[in-house]
Amino acid sequence: MKTIKRIIVTILIICTLFNIVLADTYKIIDNKKFLIRNVYEIINDGENPVYNISIKVLAGAETDSLYQKLLDIKIEPGVSYIETDDWGNSYAKIDILTLKPGGKIDITVDKIVENSGIKFDKSIYEKEADYTEFLKNILNYKYILPGKKTESDTFEIKQKAMELAKTGTTVEKAKKIYNFVNLHIDYNENPLYANRGALSGLLTGQGVCDEYSFLFTALCRASGIPSRVIAGYWVEDEISEDSFIDISEGHSWSEFYLPDVGWIPVEPTFIYTYNGERIPGDDYFANINSSDRHFINNYITNDLKKDLDVQYSYYSVEKASLVLRSKEESVKLLPKDYTIKPAIRPKDIDDNWAADYISSLYSEGIVTAKAGSLFKPNDKITRGEFAAFIVNALDLQKVKGASIFDDVSLQTPYSEHINAAAKAGLIQGFSGYYNPNKNITRQDITVIMKRAIDYLNIKKDTKNMPYYRDSKDISNYAIESIKLMYNLNIMKGRPGNIFAPKDFTSRAEASKIIWELRKLIFEK
């Protein structure tokens, strides 16, 4: 872990404060593009060849943090597929048939990211959070549950959280927690205290960035505030275009969630000393300076079992052995005019059943990659992503500006597509909300598809509802649209004579559905 940062102020400096009026609740500062490189080396140091090596490597995180965006991923050698866990961490699978004795394989992961400083306006202190909508998505419960190092269910942490977060708005409570953690723990790399987690940090008052960040997150969760810990890199050195700089010392920090704002970063590890007295470092609560770059590598899961940058397995024979080591972790600045050349075909679809459909639509700009040039065909498609696909398929004009939906802001991914879909009557939402980041069900897709066909004024006769063994699970509002999809040969159901109306839809399945719609348009 990187050693602690100390900011020592010995002279009282009186400065004039300027009130900055922000259009939104935060300001992005010094946004730049960077190339982050991770290189791992696998060596066969045994006496016999090693066969069927299966390597799983962390490819990056699909960040919904406001100060970093993943633009592209390049992995060598080529990947078999990429999967994403429910924290947003992506893992690439690489298959190697044979590695001879003494042989070496370098696995290089290049991530291109946009990264910035960020400063939140003081108005966030006035917001009282209501997490009802946020927690309607079951995937968000993990941000308030205890974890292996985030022991928010222990008596000691619950008692301290009750003491700290007794009063105040959500951000005021989070700030009290931050102040406590920042002053309570003394930075200590002794293995007796380092990397032990939240409870150890609370009881011993010792630890490294792990203890600071896990304790902050555990106290937030015990107070009902969703929070998570980030693993990544902190760089205070100047980053140039000329060469890579080493970032092999990892770092961790925290974020907490505020509805209608997003994930707010907190850096509890940095110690601030004023006139010889240690006080909370206010500059690192809801604020990241662009001179202290925080690069996100992954979001730390609750069970920690999957939080490895690289894992491997292989067919073992006598006197066979593999050794893994991290060879390089580095970063460099990219030129201002750097552009990412769009791939002719997504890199991770070759072995997917829907590869031809995806490739055809991708070349027309109808479906888009999810992370750089990776399509992630097996990921579930969100309601926002499907709105974008259908708007592109119908060649509708995107609509800028405010949305009719309360949970779609200017910063929401695909907000202009969502606006266009709403304007065309393709989507309606529910009680003023669209839930753009939630996965979309198969029956909801049929409803949108029927509206698209009505919008195109395509006249098709529909017969009786086909028999599905799970017909009782189909909601009334979707019966007519499912009937239409069946008769148009767009969605026929799944093996076992079921429709699975409330199952989520993969990006591959969505591509096939959109392809069938395009075919229908051409036949019109």
Side-chain angles (χ1 to χ4, degrees):
M1 291 295 171
K2 183 169 280 192
T3 55
I4 192 168
K5 175 171 182 174
R6 280 185 188 277
I7 306 170
I8 303 175
V9 181
T10 56
I11 302 173
L12 178 62
I13 301 173
I14 301 175
C15 59
T16 304
L17 300 177
F18 295 91
N19 292 323
I20 302 172
V21 179
L22 302 178
D24 295 303
T25 52
Y26 62 90
K27 182 179 181 181
I28 294 296
I29 304 164
D30 198 21
N31 194 30
K32 293 179 178 179
K33 294 186 181 74
F34 298 87
L35 170 60
I36 301 173
R37 173 165 292 170
N38 298 82
V39 182
Y40 309 96
E41 184 178 57
I42 291 184
I43 306 168
N44 180 356
D45 69 345
E47 298 179 13
N48 289 315
V50 177
Y51 302 99
N52 297 331
I53 306 170
S54 180
I55 304 165
K56 187 177 180 181
V57 62
L58 177 65
E62 293 177 20
T63 56
D64 52 359
S65 301
L66 299 169
Y67 50 96
Q68 182 169 306
K69 180 181 180 182
L70 179 64
L71 301 179
D72 198 13
I73 303 172
K74 297 178 181 178
I75 301 173
E76 295 293 340
V79 303
S80 300
Y81 64 83
I82 288 186
E83 60 183 13
T84 303
D85 65 19
D86 59 7
W87 293 79
N89 303 315
S90 296
Y91 294 88
K93 185 174 182 291
I94 300 167
D95 294 314
I96 307 295
L97 291 178
T98 308
L99 187 61
K100 296 179 180 180
K104 300 178 180 179
I105 298 173
D106 276 356
I107 300 168
T108 302
V109 181
D110 282 345
K111 298 182 285 285
I112 298 173
V113 303
E114 275 186 345
N115 183 279
S116 67
I118 189 169
K119 186 175 181 63
F120 284 82
D121 186 63
K122 295 297 183 184
S123 63
I124 63 172
Y125 281 88
E126 302 168 6
K127 296 179 180 289
E128 187 53 67
D130 179 356
Y131 291 108
T132 305
E133 286 298 322
F134 181 74
L135 294 176
K136 281 183 179 178
N137 185 346
I138 194 171
L139 294 177
N140 290 333
Y141 269 91
K142 59 181 174 284
Y143 301 119
I144 59 171
L145 295 175
K148 191 168 183 180
K149 284 188 180 180
T150 319
E151 305 100 329
S152 56
D153 57 345
T154 59
F155 171 77
E156 295 87 350
I157 287 180
K158 288 195 291 186
Q159 185 180 49
K160 179 55 68 173
M162 189 179 300
E163 172 192 325
L164 294 170
K166 190 178 298 184
T167 61
T169 65
T170 302
V171 177
E172 287 171 343
K173 291 175 182 177
K175 182 60 166 62
K176 291 175 185 177
I177 292 170
Y178 167 82
N179 289 351
F180 167 76
V181 173
N182 186 250
L183 297 180
H184 177 70
I185 298 178
D186 290 323
Y187 197 92
N188 189 336
E189 295 180 332
N190 188 316
L192 290 174
Y193 309 111
N195 305 311
R196 299 289 180 176
L199 187 59
S200 175
L202 177 64
L203 297 179
T204 68
Q206 305 285 317
V208 293
C209 54
D210 260 28
E211 282 61 53
Y212 285 89
S213 52
F214 277 108
L215 182 54
F216 174 84
T217 288
L219 289 168
C220 279
R221 291 183 183 181
S223 305
I225 303 172
S227 181
R228 63 190 180 189
V229 178
I230 294 173
Y233 311 101
W234 159 47
V235 182
E236 60 178 342
D237 300 324
E238 183 178 351
I239 307 173
S240 71
E241 298 177 19
D242 300 329
S243 60
F244 284 94
I245 66 169
D246 178 70
I247 54 172
S248 57
E249 292 186 72
H251 186 60
S252 61
W253 61 98
S254 299
E255 294 178 342
F256 69 95
Y257 186 78
L258 191 64
D260 301 321
V261 175
W263 288 99
I264 299 176
V266 172
E267 175 52 275
T269 308
F270 293 175
I271 288 177
Y272 192 90
T273 306
Y274 185 82
N275 285 346
E277 181 182 355
R278 183 171 165 181
I279 62 173
D282 289 351
D283 285 346
Y284 296 96
F285 178 85
N287 183 39
I288 291 179
N289 292 332
S290 58
S291 58
D292 287 306
R293 293 280 175 182
H294 281 60
F295 293 103
I296 298 169
N297 190 45
N298 62 289
Y299 298 110
I300 296 180
T301 64
N302 282 341
D303 60 12
L304 304 182
K305 292 178 181 178
K306 296 181 293 183
D307 293 336
L308 296 173
D309 285 0
V310 62
Q311 307 168 46
Y312 64 91
S313 61
Y314 59 93
Y315 176 72
S316 179
V317 296
E318 186 179 355
K319 296 182 179 179
S321 175
L322 286 184
V323 174
L324 167 70
R325 70 182 183 92
S326 178
K327 192 174 179 180
E328 179 183 350
E329 291 179 84
S330 58
V331 64
K332 70 180 294 186
L333 178 67
L334 294 173
K336 289 183 179 179
D337 58 354
Y338 180 86
T339 56
I340 298 171
K341 296 178 181 178
I344 298 174
R345 175 185 175 97
K347 298 177 181 178
D348 57 344
I349 66 170
D350 287 346
D351 295 331
N352 190 272
W353 64 271
D356 290 341
Y357 304 118
I358 297 168
S359 182
S360 174
L361 296 172
Y362 185 84
S363 65
E364 296 182 62
I366 293 170
V367 302
T368 55
K370 188 163 185 178
S373 55
L374 302 175
F375 188 77
K376 301 195 175 182
N378 297 321
D379 280 12
K380 303 305 181 187
I381 192 167
T382 67
R383 293 170 59 82
E385 289 170 337
F386 192 77
F389 284 11
I390 196 77
V391 164
N392 292 339
L394 299 183
D395 198 25
L396 300 180
Q397 186 72 34
K398 291 186 289 186
V399 178
K400 297 181 179 181
S403 174
I404 64 169
F405 301 114
D406 293 338
D407 57 351
V408 176
S409 68
L410 297 178
Q411 288 77 38
T412 301
Y414 308 111
S415 62
E416 295 180 7
H417 291 88
I418 293 169
N419 290 346
K423 182 178 179 181
L426 306 180
I427 60 175
Q428 295 177 357
F430 181 76
S431 298
Y433 293 88
Y434 183 64
N435 299 309
N437 298 319
K438 288 186 177 181
N439 297 330
I440 190 168
T441 62
R442 286 170 53 79
Q443 67 178 7
D444 283 355
I445 279 183
T446 68
V447 172
I448 294 174
M449 291 292 291
K450 183 178 185 302
R451 291 172 184 158
I453 290 168
D454 291 343
Y455 177 85
L456 294 168
N457 199 28
I458 297 175
K459 303 297 183 183
K460 293 287 182 179
D461 293 331
T462 58
K463 303 173 185 176
N464 295 329
M465 181 73 173
Y467 170 74
Y468 292 114
R469 290 195 299 109
D470 58 351
S471 292
K472 65 181 185 304
D473 297 330
I474 298 173
S475 299
N476 288 335
Y477 69 82
I479 290 175
E480 288 302 314
S481 55
I482 290 175
K483 186 193 302 183
L484 180 63
M485 292 306 102
Y486 179 87
N487 285 283
L488 292 179
N489 202 34
I490 293 177
M491 296 174 71
K492 302 288 282 187
R494 286 183 170 171
N497 197 30
I498 63 171
F499 190 80
K502 294 174 183 175
D503 281 7
F504 296 130
T505 308
S506 72
R507 288 170 56 84
E509 289 173 322
S511 299
K512 169 66 162 58
I513 292 165
I514 295 295
W515 188 87
E516 292 288 356
L517 175 64
R518 293 281 290 173
K519 179 182 174 185
L520 197 64
I521 294 172
F522 293 139
E523 293 173 349
K524 181 183 174 183

